[in-house]
Amino acid sequence: MENLNNYNIQKRAVDSIAKTQQIPYSPVAFEKGEGAILFDFDGKRYIDFLSSACSANLGHGNKEIAQAVKAQMDKLTQYTFAYFNTAPPMQLAEKLCSIAPGNSPKKALFSCTGSAAMDSAIKVARAYTGRNKLISMEGAYHGSTYGALSVSALSLNMRRHIGPLIPEVYHFHYPTDEYNWEKCIEEIEHAFSYYLPPDEVAAIIIEPIAADMGLIIPPEEWIQSLRKLCDKYKILLISDEIQLALCRTGKWFATENFGIEADLYVMGKALGGGLPLGALIGKKELLDCLEPPAHTFTLSGNTTVCVAALKNIEIMERIDANKLSIEKGNYLKDKFLKLKKKYDFIGDIRGFGLSLGVDIINPSTGKKDPKATSKICYECFKRGLILIFLNKSTLRIQPPLVIEYAEIDEAMDLLENVMQDYSNGAISDSVLNEIKGW
Ligand SMILES: Cc1ncc(COP(=O)(O)O)c(C=O)c1O
């Protein structure tokens, strides 16, 4: 049998997988997992605070999903729904339309990833409105396909050497401490008066919570003002729910936290219960504006993946995952607030449900502290907590919704020990060579 361990997997991965696909965080390779617990190839146990980047909302190794997948694969793994129906894509489309916000009759359009689902939203918005201009926000990440990448504005490495991207994309500020929401809306109105004819804009694309910018929560007035602008100029509002839908924020869709309805909801990540799946949900007349085969993929609406997705949603409904997300999120937030009283390098703590952003700052300047953040995350890996950071200095706290309270306590004790060692100067600068992030 092949001898696999963390070290040789990392070494062979560097040799065999294109480097663009992996962000350098830690040389750990996972072999198995159950719930919020993971084991690496050296047999070491970890608590997962990342949920495979929100693609494992029900945790790891879910037996019910595995059984449903096996039963479907034993019958028929997949038949391409580009030509013939199987039942699961239809059943999943009906289910997604029933949980999506609003009462108007809806349809679903499937893709194989979140990024491709974002591309489908762009296609639908342009085709339905007959307009080609798109507005999205600085700092947004909507995916890696050309369309999704063109409306993203997060990292130069994502855009270097690959242009031209799709044209007619205009980026505006997302509300932050430096840019208040009124200023952000004024910027768009200013553009509408001077150089960006609003009747040529197909869609405004938002993340209801700016995930990769550091899980920044905008004031609801900002989202509501965007909704009004969209209504005024007949522009479609697209909500990127790829990371935060499916109970992550204590609601089925993150936009529901802001009291508005979007025209199109883009889904991915946790949707397939760990298998690749993306979907666009919206009013029937919107989703039917494209003729076949304008957005079809051989493997989208994959029979077995749709079975996994249906089981995933069935379990979320049964365990009341929204309630769990809120209760555990509050429990965790309380623990961070207590830590903040002890450690002055903990800045803002924010979030809905089991999705928290915790800033690490330099206490004397109040500014971001990327070095401190890297050291804390690296030391957490070493001691058994999977924790990464966003935008250089925000801890990304998104454990599986099924994490046990005892596991939260264990993880937070571990994190507190790491923070104590950091504040004693006991974590050496040398770890900064290991962990880079992006
Ligand atoms: C908010 C958001 N949109 C889009 C994407 C792209 O999704 P995928 O990687 O599944 O294509 C991501 C992935 O990180 C995301 O977080």
Side-chain angles (χ1 to χ4, degrees), residues 51-70:
S51 303
S52 183
C54 285
S55 65
N57 282 6
L58 288 182
H60 308 285
N62 187 289
K63 299 280 180 295
E64 273 189 81
I65 295 178
Q67 274 162 15
V69 163
K70 177 162 188 333

Side-chain angles (χ1 to χ4, degrees), residues 24-269:
Y25 270 106
S26 160
V28 167
F30 297 121
E31 186 179 23
K32 56 188 179 184
E34 195 175 339
I37 303 299
L38 290 159
F39 290 89
D40 73 14
F41 271 80
D42 297 345
K44 187 170 146 79
R45 174 181 173 277
Y46 300 83
I47 299 175
D48 186 8
F49 262 16
L50 179 60
S51 303
S52 183
C54 285
S55 65
N57 282 6
L58 288 182
H60 308 285
N62 187 289
K63 299 280 180 295
E64 273 189 81
I65 295 178
Q67 274 162 15
V69 163
K70 177 162 188 333
Q72 183 60 47
M73 289 185 82
D74 285 342
K75 264 197 300 191
L76 175 71
T77 302
Q78 146 74 350
Y79 205 94
T80 181
F81 83 159
Y83 292 109
F84 297 101
N85 276 318
T86 59
M90 169 276 292
Q91 291 164 324
L92 180 61
E94 288 180 356
K95 187 75 213 174
L96 291 176
C97 294
S98 77
I99 61 171
N103 299 322
S104 41
K106 297 193 171 54
K107 279 196 167 188
L109 192 170
F110 291 115
S111 297
C112 296
T113 62
S115 302
M118 179 52 73
D119 279 15
S120 72
I122 294 171
K123 289 182 190 175
V124 163
R126 283 183 165 173
Y128 182 79
T129 59
R131 307 169 176 186
N132 63 11
K133 295 182 178 11
L134 299 161
I135 289 178
S136 61
M137 304 304 148
E138 246 178 57
Y141 179 56
H142 297 297
S144 273
T145 49
Y146 264 94
L149 181 59
S150 303
V151 294
S152 303
L154 181 66
S155 142
L156 291 179
N157 273 0
M158 287 178 183
R159 295 182 149 238
R160 273 200 181 100
H161 311 310
I162 59 162
L165 300 178
I166 69 166
E168 296 296 352
V169 177
Y170 298 81
H171 289 105
F172 290 92
H173 283 99
Y174 198 91
T176 56
D177 287 347
E178 291 86 46
Y179 256 85
N180 66 37
W181 72 268
E182 288 100 332
K183 217 157 131 190
C184 295
I185 296 294
E186 276 164 27
E187 256 188 355
I188 300 178
E189 285 171 335
H190 176 84
F192 283 176
S193 308
Y194 288 96
Y195 63 91
L196 183 58
D199 56 352
E200 290 182 16
V201 177
I204 297 181
I205 303 167
I206 57 163
E207 287 177 89
I209 293 170
D212 288 351
M213 265 177 96
L215 290 163
I216 292 172
I217 302 179
E220 65 178 24
E221 291 89 340
W222 176 72
I223 296 196
Q224 288 169 358
S225 303
L226 288 179
R227 178 68 272 178
K228 281 189 196 137
L229 276 182
C230 286
D231 292 342
K232 181 168 172 194
Y233 296 112
K234 299 195 168 31
I235 295 169
L236 298 177
L237 184 63
I238 299 176
S239 180
D240 179 342
E241 297 272 350
I242 293 167
Q243 182 173 134
L244 296 176
L246 297 170
C247 313
R248 178 53 62 191
T249 68
K251 305 269 184 205
W252 285 106
F253 291 81
T255 324
E256 293 176 72
N257 292 296
F258 299 92
I260 58 124
E261 234 185 85
D263 297 297
L264 294 167
Y265 294 94
V266 190
M267 304 181 77
K269 289 202 188 252

Side-chain angles (χ1 to χ4, degrees), residues 336-344 346-349:
F336 272 105
L337 288 169
K338 285 197 184 112
L339 276 189
K340 184 177 157 77
K341 291 204 177 115
K342 265 175 111 169
Y343 300 109
D344 56 4
I346 299 184
D348 190 36
I349 299 164

Side-chain angles (χ1 to χ4, degrees), residues 300-319:
S300 62
N302 180 291
T303 317
T304 297
V305 179
C306 287
V307 165
L310 279 162
K311 186 53 81 180
N312 189 34
I313 295 173
E314 180 195 314
I315 298 170
M316 286 177 175
E317 284 179 325
R318 190 176 69 226
I319 65 174

